[in-house]
Amino acid sequence: MRIGMRLLLGYFLIVAIAAWFVLSIFLQEVKPGVRRATEGTLIDTATLLAEFAKADMLAGNAQNGQLAQAFSRLNQHSFKANISGITKSKNEYRVYLTDTKGIVLFDSNGKATGEDYSRWNDVWLTLQGKYGARSTPVNANNPESTVMYVAAPVRDGPNIIGVLSVGKPNSAMDPVIRRSERRILWAGVALLGIALLIGFGFVLWINRAIGKLVRYADSVTTEHPLPLPKPASSELRKLALALESMRLKLEGKTYIEQYVHALTHELKSPMAAIRGAAEILRECPPPEVVEKFSANILQQNLRMQKLVDNLLRQAKLESRVEIAAQPINLPALFSSLCDSREVLACSKQISLRIDKNVPEELVVEGDPALLEQAVGNLLDNALDFTPPDGEVVLSVEQHIGQTTILVSDTGSGIPDYAKERVFERFYSLPRSNGQKSSGLGLAFVHEVARLHRGTISLKNRSEGGVQARLTLPEK
Protein backbone atom coordinates (compact mmCIF):
# COMPACT_ATOMS: atom_id res chain seq x y z
CA MET A 1 0.00 0.00 0.00
CA ARG A 2 1.31 3.45 -0.93
CA ILE A 3 2.40 5.76 1.88
CA GLY A 4 -0.19 8.35 0.86
CA MET A 5 -3.01 5.82 1.22
CA ARG A 6 -1.66 4.72 4.59
CA LEU A 7 -1.57 8.31 5.79
CA LEU A 8 -5.11 8.87 4.55
CA LEU A 9 -6.43 5.72 6.25
CA GLY A 10 -4.61 6.53 9.49
CA TYR A 11 -5.86 10.11 9.48
CA PHE A 12 -9.42 9.04 8.68
CA LEU A 13 -9.33 6.36 11.39
CA ILE A 14 -8.24 8.90 14.01
CA VAL A 15 -10.96 11.35 12.94
CA ALA A 16 -13.58 8.58 12.86
CA ILE A 17 -12.69 7.38 16.38
CA ALA A 18 -12.72 10.93 17.70
CA ALA A 19 -16.05 11.65 15.97
CA TRP A 20 -17.58 8.43 17.30
CA PHE A 21 -16.43 9.27 20.83
CA VAL A 22 -17.80 12.83 20.68
CA LEU A 23 -21.05 11.78 18.97
CA SER A 24 -21.68 9.01 21.47
CA ILE A 25 -21.34 11.52 24.32
CA PHE A 26 -23.69 13.95 22.57
CA LEU A 27 -26.26 11.26 21.84
CA GLN A 28 -26.12 9.99 25.41
CA GLU A 29 -26.73 13.52 26.66
CA VAL A 30 -29.59 14.40 24.30
CA LYS A 31 -32.36 12.50 26.11
CA PRO A 32 -31.32 13.45 29.69
CA GLY A 33 -30.76 17.04 28.55
CA VAL A 34 -34.22 17.34 27.02
CA ARG A 35 -35.83 15.78 30.08
CA ARG A 36 -33.93 18.07 32.44
CA ALA A 37 -35.13 21.07 30.44
CA THR A 38 -38.68 19.71 30.50
CA GLU A 39 -38.49 19.11 34.25
CA GLY A 40 -37.44 22.74 34.75
CA THR A 41 -40.46 23.88 32.74
CA LEU A 42 -42.77 21.61 34.76
CA ILE A 43 -41.62 22.95 38.13
CA ASP A 44 -42.17 26.51 36.90
CA THR A 45 -45.66 25.59 35.69
CA ALA A 46 -46.51 23.74 38.91
CA THR A 47 -45.39 26.65 41.07
CA LEU A 48 -47.49 29.09 39.02
CA LEU A 49 -50.63 26.91 39.04
CA ALA A 50 -50.25 26.32 42.79
CA GLU A 51 -50.98 30.00 43.34
CA PHE A 52 -54.27 29.68 41.41
CA ALA A 53 -55.13 26.46 43.27
CA LYS A 54 -54.64 28.20 46.64
CA ALA A 55 -57.77 30.35 46.18
CA ASP A 56 -59.85 27.33 45.16
CA MET A 57 -58.72 25.31 48.18
CA LEU A 58 -59.33 28.13 50.66
CA ALA A 59 -62.81 28.55 49.15
CA GLY A 60 -63.43 24.79 49.49
CA ASN A 61 -64.24 24.55 45.82
CA ALA A 62 -61.25 22.70 44.30
CA GLN A 63 -63.35 20.57 41.94
CA ASN A 64 -65.18 23.51 40.33
CA GLY A 65 -62.85 26.43 41.05
CA GLN A 66 -60.96 28.67 38.69
CA LEU A 67 -58.30 26.04 37.97
CA ALA A 68 -60.89 23.39 37.10
CA GLN A 69 -62.85 25.80 34.90
CA ALA A 70 -59.64 26.86 33.07
CA PHE A 71 -58.79 23.24 32.20
CA SER A 72 -62.38 22.59 31.16
CA ARG A 73 -62.25 25.46 28.69
CA LEU A 74 -58.76 24.41 27.55
CA ASN A 75 -59.98 20.92 26.63
CA GLN A 76 -62.85 22.39 24.57
CA HIS A 77 -60.56 24.43 22.28
CA SER A 78 -58.17 23.00 19.71
CA PHE A 79 -54.98 24.64 18.48
CA LYS A 80 -52.13 23.89 16.11
CA ALA A 81 -48.55 25.02 16.58
CA ASN A 82 -45.51 24.29 14.42
CA ILE A 83 -42.43 24.33 16.62
CA SER A 84 -39.36 24.04 14.36
CA GLY A 85 -41.04 21.34 12.29
CA ILE A 86 -42.76 19.58 15.23
CA THR A 87 -46.55 19.94 15.21
CA LYS A 88 -48.38 20.34 18.53
CA SER A 89 -52.23 20.19 18.53
CA LYS A 90 -53.29 19.34 22.10
CA ASN A 91 -52.50 20.02 25.73
CA GLU A 92 -50.21 17.28 27.06
CA TYR A 93 -50.18 18.38 30.70
CA ARG A 94 -52.01 16.41 33.41
CA VAL A 95 -52.60 18.38 36.59
CA TYR A 96 -53.96 17.08 39.88
CA LEU A 97 -54.43 18.74 43.27
CA THR A 98 -54.26 16.92 46.62
CA ASP A 99 -54.91 17.97 50.19
CA THR A 100 -52.54 17.56 53.15
CA LYS A 101 -53.47 13.85 53.41
CA GLY A 102 -52.66 13.16 49.75
CA ILE A 103 -56.31 12.76 48.68
CA VAL A 104 -56.90 13.99 45.09
CA LEU A 105 -59.25 16.96 45.10
CA PHE A 106 -58.97 17.77 41.37
CA ASP A 107 -57.69 15.83 38.36
CA SER A 108 -57.57 17.45 34.91
CA ASN A 109 -58.20 13.98 33.44
CA GLY A 110 -61.20 13.48 35.76
CA LYS A 111 -60.11 9.94 36.69
CA ALA A 112 -58.28 10.07 40.00
CA THR A 113 -60.52 12.39 42.03
CA GLY A 114 -60.87 11.03 45.59
CA GLU A 115 -57.94 8.60 45.31
CA ASP A 116 -55.09 8.49 47.80
CA TYR A 117 -51.84 9.69 46.19
CA SER A 118 -49.99 10.17 49.46
CA ARG A 119 -47.55 7.37 48.63
CA TRP A 120 -46.41 8.84 45.29
CA ASN A 121 -43.04 10.54 45.64
CA ASP A 122 -44.15 13.83 44.16
CA VAL A 123 -46.92 14.23 46.78
CA TRP A 124 -45.18 12.59 49.74
CA LEU A 125 -41.92 14.52 49.43
CA THR A 126 -43.64 17.84 48.79
CA LEU A 127 -45.82 17.46 51.90
CA GLN A 128 -42.58 17.06 53.86
CA GLY A 129 -41.25 20.35 52.48
CA LYS A 130 -38.91 18.68 49.97
CA TYR A 131 -38.69 18.73 46.18
CA GLY A 132 -41.12 16.14 44.88
CA ALA A 133 -40.96 14.48 41.46
CA ARG A 134 -41.55 11.06 39.92
CA SER A 135 -41.60 9.23 36.59
CA THR A 136 -44.18 6.46 36.38
CA PRO A 137 -45.18 4.23 33.44
CA VAL A 138 -48.84 4.27 32.46
CA ASN A 139 -48.50 0.72 31.17
CA ALA A 140 -46.30 -1.54 33.29
CA ASN A 141 -45.44 -3.62 30.21
CA ASN A 142 -44.28 -0.58 28.23
CA PRO A 143 -41.29 1.26 29.74
CA GLU A 144 -41.69 3.98 27.09
CA SER A 145 -45.10 5.00 28.47
CA THR A 146 -43.67 6.87 31.45
CA VAL A 147 -45.04 10.22 32.59
CA MET A 148 -42.90 12.75 34.45
CA TYR A 149 -44.64 14.44 37.41
CA VAL A 150 -43.28 17.48 39.25
CA ALA A 151 -45.08 18.86 42.34
CA ALA A 152 -45.23 22.25 44.04
CA PRO A 153 -46.68 22.99 47.47
CA VAL A 154 -49.87 25.02 47.84
CA ARG A 155 -49.14 27.36 50.75
CA ASP A 156 -51.29 29.51 52.99
CA GLY A 157 -48.64 31.62 54.60
CA PRO A 158 -46.03 29.26 56.06
CA ASN A 159 -48.40 26.27 56.08
CA ILE A 160 -48.68 23.69 53.29
CA ILE A 161 -52.38 23.13 52.60
CA GLY A 162 -52.01 20.93 49.53
CA VAL A 163 -49.88 19.75 46.63
CA LEU A 164 -50.27 20.56 42.95
CA SER A 165 -48.58 18.14 40.52
CA VAL A 166 -48.03 18.70 36.82
CA GLY A 167 -47.29 15.71 34.61
CA LYS A 168 -46.15 15.35 31.00
CA PRO A 169 -45.61 12.11 29.03
CA ASN A 170 -41.96 11.47 28.20
CA SER A 171 -43.12 10.29 24.79
CA ALA A 172 -44.11 13.88 24.02
CA MET A 173 -40.42 14.71 24.05
CA ASP A 174 -39.47 11.91 21.64
CA PRO A 175 -39.83 14.06 18.45
CA VAL A 176 -37.46 16.65 19.89
CA ILE A 177 -35.00 13.96 20.96
CA ARG A 178 -35.12 12.14 17.62
CA ARG A 179 -34.70 15.37 15.68
CA SER A 180 -31.70 16.36 17.81
CA GLU A 181 -30.16 12.91 17.35
CA ARG A 182 -30.67 13.07 13.58
CA ARG A 183 -29.08 16.48 13.40
CA ILE A 184 -26.12 15.34 15.46
CA LEU A 185 -25.68 12.24 13.30
CA TRP A 186 -25.85 14.30 10.10
CA ALA A 187 -23.34 16.73 11.57
CA GLY A 188 -21.08 13.75 12.36
CA VAL A 189 -21.38 12.44 8.80
CA ALA A 190 -20.62 15.91 7.44
CA LEU A 191 -17.63 16.16 9.79
CA LEU A 192 -16.27 12.83 8.55
CA GLY A 193 -16.84 13.88 4.94
CA ILE A 194 -15.03 17.18 5.42
CA ALA A 195 -12.23 15.41 7.29
CA LEU A 196 -11.94 12.91 4.43
CA LEU A 197 -11.75 15.70 1.85
CA ILE A 198 -9.10 17.54 3.88
CA GLY A 199 -7.15 14.32 4.34
CA PHE A 200 -7.45 13.54 0.62
CA GLY A 201 -6.14 17.00 -0.28
CA PHE A 202 -3.31 16.62 2.23
CA VAL A 203 -2.35 13.23 0.78
CA LEU A 204 -2.47 14.59 -2.77
CA TRP A 205 -0.13 17.38 -1.70
CA ILE A 206 2.29 14.91 -0.10
CA ASN A 207 2.09 12.52 -3.07
CA ARG A 208 2.74 15.36 -5.48
CA ALA A 209 5.79 16.54 -3.53
CA ILE A 210 7.12 12.99 -3.16
CA GLY A 211 6.36 12.33 -6.85
CA LYS A 212 8.58 15.27 -7.81
CA LEU A 213 11.39 13.84 -5.70
CA VAL A 214 10.88 10.39 -7.25
CA ARG A 215 10.97 11.80 -10.79
CA TYR A 216 14.09 13.76 -9.90
CA ALA A 217 15.74 10.64 -8.46
CA ASP A 218 14.78 8.63 -11.56
CA SER A 219 16.20 11.29 -13.86
CA VAL A 220 19.57 11.33 -12.10
CA THR A 221 20.81 8.42 -14.21
CA THR A 222 19.76 10.05 -17.48
CA GLU A 223 21.81 12.43 -19.57
CA HIS A 224 19.52 15.35 -18.77
CA PRO A 225 18.48 15.18 -15.09
CA LEU A 226 15.54 17.27 -13.97
CA PRO A 227 16.14 20.42 -11.93
CA LEU A 228 16.22 19.88 -8.18
CA PRO A 229 12.62 20.33 -6.94
CA LYS A 230 11.88 22.90 -4.29
CA PRO A 231 9.08 21.54 -2.06
CA ALA A 232 7.12 23.88 0.18
CA SER A 233 7.71 21.73 3.26
CA SER A 234 11.03 22.22 5.08
CA GLU A 235 11.28 18.48 5.74
CA LEU A 236 10.78 17.57 2.08
CA ARG A 237 13.20 20.34 1.12
CA LYS A 238 15.83 18.75 3.36
CA LEU A 239 15.07 15.40 1.73
CA ALA A 240 15.52 16.95 -1.72
CA LEU A 241 18.89 18.39 -0.70
CA ALA A 242 19.86 15.03 0.78
CA LEU A 243 18.98 13.34 -2.54
CA GLU A 244 21.05 15.90 -4.41
CA SER A 245 23.98 15.36 -2.05
CA MET A 246 23.64 11.61 -2.42
CA ARG A 247 23.52 11.98 -6.20
CA LEU A 248 26.74 13.94 -6.20
CA LYS A 249 28.46 11.42 -3.95
CA LEU A 250 27.27 8.43 -5.97
CA GLU A 251 28.37 10.10 -9.17
CA GLY A 252 31.79 10.84 -7.72
CA LYS A 253 33.58 7.77 -9.02
CA THR A 254 32.02 7.89 -12.49
CA TYR A 255 32.54 11.63 -12.54
CA ILE A 256 36.28 11.28 -11.89
CA GLU A 257 36.62 8.47 -14.42
CA GLN A 258 34.89 10.53 -17.10
CA TYR A 259 37.11 13.51 -16.46
CA VAL A 260 40.27 11.43 -16.44
CA HIS A 261 39.34 9.79 -19.75
CA ALA A 262 38.28 13.11 -21.25
CA LEU A 263 41.39 14.90 -20.04
CA THR A 264 43.59 12.10 -21.38
CA HIS A 265 41.86 12.24 -24.72
CA GLU A 266 42.07 16.02 -25.02
CA LEU A 267 45.71 16.16 -23.94
CA LYS A 268 46.88 13.58 -26.46
CA SER A 269 46.95 16.01 -29.39
CA PRO A 270 48.92 18.87 -27.74
CA MET A 271 51.28 16.42 -26.02
CA ALA A 272 51.97 14.69 -29.34
CA ALA A 273 52.66 18.09 -30.92
CA ILE A 274 55.01 19.06 -28.08
CA ARG A 275 56.82 15.73 -28.26
CA GLY A 276 57.28 16.03 -32.05
CA ALA A 277 58.57 19.60 -31.69
CA ALA A 278 60.97 18.52 -28.91
CA GLU A 279 62.37 15.68 -31.04
CA ILE A 280 63.05 18.11 -33.89
CA LEU A 281 64.71 20.62 -31.54
CA ARG A 282 67.06 17.89 -30.22
CA GLU A 283 68.58 17.68 -33.70
CA CYS A 284 69.75 21.33 -33.46
CA PRO A 285 67.90 22.66 -36.52
CA PRO A 286 68.48 26.16 -37.98
CA PRO A 287 67.35 29.17 -35.86
CA GLU A 288 64.22 29.80 -37.88
CA VAL A 289 63.11 26.19 -37.33
CA VAL A 290 63.91 26.45 -33.61
CA GLU A 291 61.79 29.59 -33.35
CA LYS A 292 58.88 27.97 -35.20
CA PHE A 293 58.76 24.83 -33.08
CA SER A 294 59.42 26.72 -29.84
CA ALA A 295 56.38 28.85 -30.60
CA ASN A 296 54.44 25.66 -31.32
CA ILE A 297 55.42 24.25 -27.90
CA LEU A 298 54.30 27.44 -26.17
CA GLN A 299 51.01 27.44 -28.11
CA GLN A 300 50.24 23.83 -27.20
CA ASN A 301 51.20 24.50 -23.58
CA LEU A 302 48.75 27.43 -23.52
CA ARG A 303 46.09 25.17 -25.02
CA MET A 304 46.64 22.58 -22.26
CA GLN A 305 46.56 25.28 -19.59
CA LYS A 306 43.22 26.59 -20.87
CA LEU A 307 41.84 23.07 -21.01
CA VAL A 308 42.84 22.34 -17.39
CA ASP A 309 41.43 25.70 -16.23
CA ASN A 310 38.13 25.01 -18.01
CA LEU A 311 37.95 21.53 -16.52
CA LEU A 312 38.53 22.86 -13.00
CA ARG A 313 35.90 25.54 -13.49
CA GLN A 314 33.41 22.96 -14.84
CA ALA A 315 34.11 20.54 -11.97
CA LYS A 316 33.66 23.30 -9.40
CA LEU A 317 30.37 24.33 -10.98
CA GLU A 318 28.96 20.79 -11.15
CA SER A 319 29.69 20.21 -7.46
CA ARG A 320 27.44 23.11 -6.41
CA VAL A 321 23.90 22.42 -5.19
CA GLU A 322 22.49 25.93 -4.75
CA ILE A 323 23.34 29.51 -5.63
CA ALA A 324 23.00 32.80 -3.78
CA ALA A 325 20.50 34.61 -6.01
CA GLN A 326 20.77 38.39 -6.43
CA PRO A 327 18.93 40.93 -8.58
CA ILE A 328 20.65 41.31 -11.99
CA ASN A 329 19.91 44.10 -14.46
CA LEU A 330 19.85 42.35 -17.84
CA PRO A 331 20.35 45.44 -20.07
CA ALA A 332 23.46 46.34 -18.05
CA LEU A 333 24.73 42.76 -18.32
CA PHE A 334 24.14 42.72 -22.09
CA SER A 335 25.91 46.04 -22.53
CA SER A 336 28.94 44.84 -20.54
CA LEU A 337 29.19 41.62 -22.57
CA CYS A 338 28.89 43.42 -25.90
CA ASP A 339 31.53 46.01 -24.93
CA SER A 340 34.01 43.28 -23.99
CA ARG A 341 33.54 41.54 -27.36
CA GLU A 342 33.21 44.56 -29.62
CA VAL A 343 36.81 44.37 -30.85
CA LEU A 344 36.53 40.65 -31.63
CA ALA A 345 33.24 41.17 -33.49
CA CYS A 346 34.74 44.02 -35.54
CA SER A 347 37.79 41.95 -36.41
CA LYS A 348 35.50 39.22 -37.74
CA GLN A 349 33.29 41.78 -39.52
CA ILE A 350 30.25 40.63 -37.47
CA SER A 351 27.48 42.95 -36.29
CA LEU A 352 26.92 42.55 -32.54
CA ARG A 353 23.90 44.35 -31.08
CA ILE A 354 21.23 44.36 -28.36
CA ASP A 355 17.60 44.23 -29.44
CA LYS A 356 15.93 47.60 -28.92
CA ASN A 357 12.86 45.99 -27.34
CA VAL A 358 14.76 44.88 -24.23
CA PRO A 359 13.21 46.81 -21.27
CA GLU A 360 15.70 49.18 -19.63
CA GLU A 361 14.78 48.12 -16.08
CA LEU A 362 14.45 44.37 -16.67
CA VAL A 363 15.76 42.50 -13.61
CA VAL A 364 16.16 38.76 -13.03
CA GLU A 365 17.27 36.77 -9.99
CA GLY A 366 20.48 34.73 -10.19
CA ASP A 367 24.20 34.48 -9.54
CA PRO A 368 25.77 37.49 -11.34
CA ALA A 369 29.15 35.86 -12.07
CA LEU A 370 27.71 32.55 -13.29
CA LEU A 371 25.06 34.20 -15.43
CA GLU A 372 27.61 36.54 -16.99
CA GLN A 373 29.88 33.59 -17.85
CA ALA A 374 26.96 31.55 -19.23
CA VAL A 375 25.62 34.33 -21.50
CA GLY A 376 29.21 35.15 -22.43
CA ASN A 377 29.78 31.55 -23.51
CA LEU A 378 26.64 31.65 -25.66
CA LEU A 379 27.84 34.93 -27.18
CA ASP A 380 31.33 33.53 -27.87
CA ASN A 381 29.79 30.43 -29.40
CA ALA A 382 27.63 32.58 -31.69
CA LEU A 383 30.63 34.71 -32.75
CA ASP A 384 32.73 31.59 -33.45
CA PHE A 385 30.13 30.08 -35.78
CA THR A 386 29.04 33.24 -37.57
CA PRO A 387 30.79 34.05 -40.87
CA PRO A 388 31.90 37.58 -41.89
CA ASP A 389 29.07 40.06 -42.56
CA GLY A 390 26.87 38.03 -40.22
CA GLU A 391 24.95 39.27 -37.20
CA VAL A 392 24.62 38.29 -33.50
CA VAL A 393 21.69 39.69 -31.51
CA LEU A 394 20.94 39.65 -27.78
CA SER A 395 17.22 39.82 -26.94
CA VAL A 396 14.69 38.84 -24.28
CA GLU A 397 11.26 37.18 -24.12
CA GLN A 398 9.05 37.49 -21.07
CA HIS A 399 6.26 35.12 -20.10
CA ILE A 400 4.29 34.61 -16.91
CA GLY A 401 6.72 33.31 -14.29
CA GLN A 402 9.86 33.27 -16.47
CA THR A 403 12.33 35.31 -18.52
CA THR A 404 14.16 33.91 -21.55
CA ILE A 405 17.53 35.28 -22.75
CA LEU A 406 17.96 34.85 -26.52
CA VAL A 407 21.29 34.78 -28.39
CA SER A 408 20.65 34.60 -32.15
CA ASP A 409 23.24 34.33 -34.95
CA THR A 410 23.26 33.98 -38.74
CA GLY A 411 25.69 31.06 -38.95
CA SER A 412 25.30 27.72 -40.67
CA GLY A 413 23.18 26.15 -37.92
CA ILE A 414 23.56 22.85 -36.05
CA PRO A 415 23.81 19.62 -38.10
CA ASP A 416 21.10 17.07 -37.34
CA TYR A 417 23.60 14.53 -36.02
CA ALA A 418 24.90 17.00 -33.42
CA LYS A 419 21.61 18.32 -32.00
CA GLU A 420 21.43 15.72 -29.22
CA ARG A 421 25.09 16.08 -28.20
CA VAL A 422 25.81 19.81 -28.15
CA PHE A 423 25.65 19.97 -24.33
CA GLU A 424 27.98 17.01 -23.77
CA ARG A 425 31.38 17.75 -22.23
CA PHE A 426 34.19 17.95 -24.81
CA TYR A 427 31.84 17.62 -27.78
CA SER A 428 32.46 20.39 -30.30
CA LEU A 429 31.93 21.24 -33.95
CA PRO A 430 34.38 22.96 -36.32
CA ARG A 431 34.17 26.75 -36.10
CA SER A 432 33.92 29.06 -39.09
CA ASN A 433 37.74 29.16 -39.17
CA GLY A 434 37.98 25.34 -39.18
CA GLN A 435 39.27 25.01 -35.59
CA LYS A 436 37.54 23.24 -32.70
CA SER A 437 36.82 24.49 -29.18
CA SER A 438 37.33 22.60 -25.91
CA GLY A 439 33.68 21.51 -25.93
CA LEU A 440 33.10 22.78 -22.39
CA GLY A 441 31.34 26.10 -23.09
CA LEU A 442 27.81 24.75 -23.61
CA ALA A 443 28.27 22.16 -20.85
CA PHE A 444 29.04 25.08 -18.53
CA VAL A 445 25.89 26.90 -19.67
CA HIS A 446 23.84 23.73 -19.06
CA GLU A 447 25.09 23.53 -15.46
CA VAL A 448 24.37 27.23 -14.87
CA ALA A 449 20.80 26.70 -16.12
CA ARG A 450 20.42 23.71 -13.78
CA LEU A 451 21.63 25.70 -10.76
CA HIS A 452 19.15 28.48 -11.62
CA ARG A 453 16.36 25.86 -12.02
CA GLY A 454 15.99 26.95 -15.60
CA THR A 455 16.53 25.44 -19.05
CA ILE A 456 18.86 25.91 -22.00
CA SER A 457 18.13 24.91 -25.58
CA LEU A 458 19.56 25.49 -29.06
CA LYS A 459 17.49 25.42 -32.22
CA ASN A 460 18.08 26.24 -35.85
CA ARG A 461 16.34 29.36 -37.13
CA SER A 462 14.17 29.14 -40.22
CA GLU A 463 16.00 32.14 -41.74
CA GLY A 464 19.40 30.54 -40.99
CA GLY A 465 21.66 30.39 -37.97
CA VAL A 466 21.04 29.27 -34.40
CA GLN A 467 19.05 30.68 -31.51
CA ALA A 468 20.13 29.85 -27.95
CA ARG A 469 17.35 30.14 -25.32
CA LEU A 470 18.35 30.40 -21.65
CA THR A 471 15.13 30.42 -19.58
CA LEU A 472 15.20 31.61 -15.95
CA PRO A 473 12.20 31.20 -13.64
CA GLU A 474 11.04 34.03 -11.42
CA LYS A 475 11.76 33.52 -7.73
Side-chain angles (χ1 to χ4, degrees):
M1 185 182 293
R2 297 180 62 180
I3 185 172
M5 186 58 65
R6 292 182 181 181
L7 288 173
L8 179 60
L9 290 177
Y11 170 78
F12 186 71
L13 183 61
I14 292 173
V15 173
I17 293 175
W20 173 82
F21 182 73
V22 173
L23 287 175
S24 63
I25 292 177
F26 270 98
L27 291 176
Q28 290 172 8
E29 287 296 318
V30 167
K31 186 177 291 186
V34 171
R35 290 185 175 177
R36 283 193 294 269
T38 303
E39 185 174 351
T41 303
L42 290 177
I43 186 61
D44 291 340
T45 304
T47 303
L48 178 62
L49 293 179
E51 292 298 319
F52 289 96
K54 171 184 174 183
D56 293 343
M57 292 189 71
L58 291 177
N61 190 22
Q63 292 186 3
N64 297 304
Q66 293 182 357
L67 184 62
Q69 293 177 14
F71 271 93
S72 177
R73 289 191 298 269
L74 177 63
N75 292 331
Q76 293 176 3
H77 297 287
S78 62
F79 61 91
K80 188 174 184 179
N82 191 326
I83 306 172
S84 299
I86 299 175
T87 303
K88 182 178 177 64
S89 59
K90 65 178 181 178
N91 174 44
E92 295 167 335
Y93 281 158
R94 180 198 174 189
V95 177
Y96 58 81
L97 180 65
T98 67
D99 59 15
T100 54
K101 295 181 179 180
I103 303 301
V104 178
L105 302 178
F106 165 74
D107 181 6
S108 62
N109 286 350
K111 297 179 180 180
T113 304
E115 295 184 12
D116 185 0
Y117 274 21
S118 61
R119 294 184 179 182
W120 292 115
N121 277 342
D122 56 329
V123 177
W124 183 66
L125 290 174
T126 304
L127 288 174
Q128 295 183 35
K130 301 178 181 179
Y131 171 63
R134 67 182 171 97
S135 186
T136 306
V138 176
N139 184 352
N141 296 323
N142 183 10
E144 299 298 326
S145 65
T146 56
V147 179
M148 181 189 300
Y149 292 96
V150 175
V154 181
R155 296 180 181 273
D156 182 17
N159 300 320
I160 297 177
I161 60 174
V163 175
L164 187 137
S165 291
V166 179
K168 185 173 184 178
N170 286 322
S171 60
M173 296 172 264
D174 287 345
V176 177
I177 294 172
R178 286 196 297 269
R179 185 185 62 181
S180 299
E181 290 177 342
R182 283 196 303 270
R183 290 185 175 180
I184 291 174
L185 288 174
W186 277 114
V189 172
L191 172 65
L192 289 177
I194 294 172
L196 185 60
L197 288 176
I198 294 174
F200 187 69
F202 176 72
V203 168
L204 283 180
W205 174 74
I206 290 182
N207 281 342
R208 184 179 179 185
I210 294 177
K212 289 181 179 179
L213 294 178
V214 171
R215 287 190 293 274
Y216 167 73
D218 289 338
S219 71
V220 165
T221 56
T222 64
E223 294 183 1
H224 304 289
L226 294 174
L228 180 67
K230 193 175 182 181
S233 169
S234 59
E235 291 79 6
L236 292 177
R237 194 179 304 118
K238 290 179 181 177
L239 177 59
L241 293 177
L243 285 174
E244 176 72 359
S245 177
M246 181 178 66
R247 178 186 75 86
L248 295 175
K249 291 179 180 179
L250 290 176
E251 288 181 346
K253 183 178 179 180
T254 305
Y255 178 83
I256 293 174
E257 290 177 352
Q258 290 176 349
Y259 267 77
V260 169
H261 287 304
L263 183 61
T264 302
H265 175 75
E266 293 297 321
L267 290 178
K268 281 182 179 180
S269 179
M271 289 180 67
I274 292 173
R275 183 178 60 187
E279 289 176 352
I280 293 175
L281 292 176
R282 286 181 62 183
E283 298 177 359
C284 299
E288 60 274 11
V289 176
V290 171
E291 182 179 355
K292 175 182 177 181
F293 283 96
S294 296
N296 190 26
I297 290 174
L298 292 175
Q299 181 182 5
Q300 296 300 326
N301 179 71
L302 180 61
R303 178 183 173 186
M304 288 192 296
Q305 183 63 46
K306 287 183 177 179
L307 178 62
V308 171
D309 290 343
N310 288 337
L311 278 173
L312 291 175
R313 186 179 65 171
Q314 183 77 12
K316 182 178 180 181
L317 181 65
E318 291 180 359
S319 65
R320 295 179 64 171
V321 178
E322 288 189 338
I323 59 171
Q326 301 176 20
I328 304 171
N329 184 278
L330 276 187
L333 176 64
F334 288 173
S335 179
S336 174
L337 291 171
C338 289
D339 290 343
S340 64
R341 288 158 177 80
E342 183 177 2
V343 175
L344 177 62
C346 289
S347 66
K348 292 186 174 184
Q349 299 179 3
I350 297 173
S351 172
L352 176 60
R353 65 181 180 87
I354 301 171
D355 188 83
K356 62 181 180 180
N357 293 323
V358 177
E360 295 183 0
E361 301 299 328
L362 179 58
V363 175
V364 296
E365 294 285 333
D367 185 295
L370 291 181
L371 203 57
E372 182 178 5
Q373 285 180 314
V375 179
N377 284 358
L378 294 176
L379 205 54
D380 292 338
N381 209 53
L383 291 171
D384 286 340
F385 288 91
T386 301
D389 298 326
E391 183 182 51
V392 176
V393 180
L394 279 168
S395 58
V396 170
E397 285 183 0
Q398 287 183 285
H399 301 282
I400 298 176
Q402 63 184 25
T403 300
T404 301
I405 298 173
L406 309 177
V407 181
S408 306
D409 63 55
T410 56
S412 57
I414 304 172
D416 291 339
Y417 65 84
K419 289 180 180 179
E420 300 298 325
R421 301 188 60 190
V422 289
F423 294 108
E424 291 182 12
R425 288 189 293 265
F426 306 111
Y427 184 82
S428 63
L429 294 169
R431 303 175 183 174
S432 58
N433 59 8
Q435 297 180 353
K436 281 191 173 185
S437 66
S438 65
L440 293 174
L442 290 179
F444 181 89
V445 177
H446 185 272
E447 286 300 314
V448 172
R450 179 186 66 84
L451 287 174
H452 285 78
R453 293 179 173 80
T455 59
I456 175 66
S457 64
L458 298 179
K459 67 175 184 178
N460 291 328
R461 303 168 63 199
S462 58
E463 62 269 32
V466 175
Q467 185 180 76
R469 301 176 62 88
L470 175 58
T471 300
L472 304 174
E474 293 183 0
K475 300 297 180 181

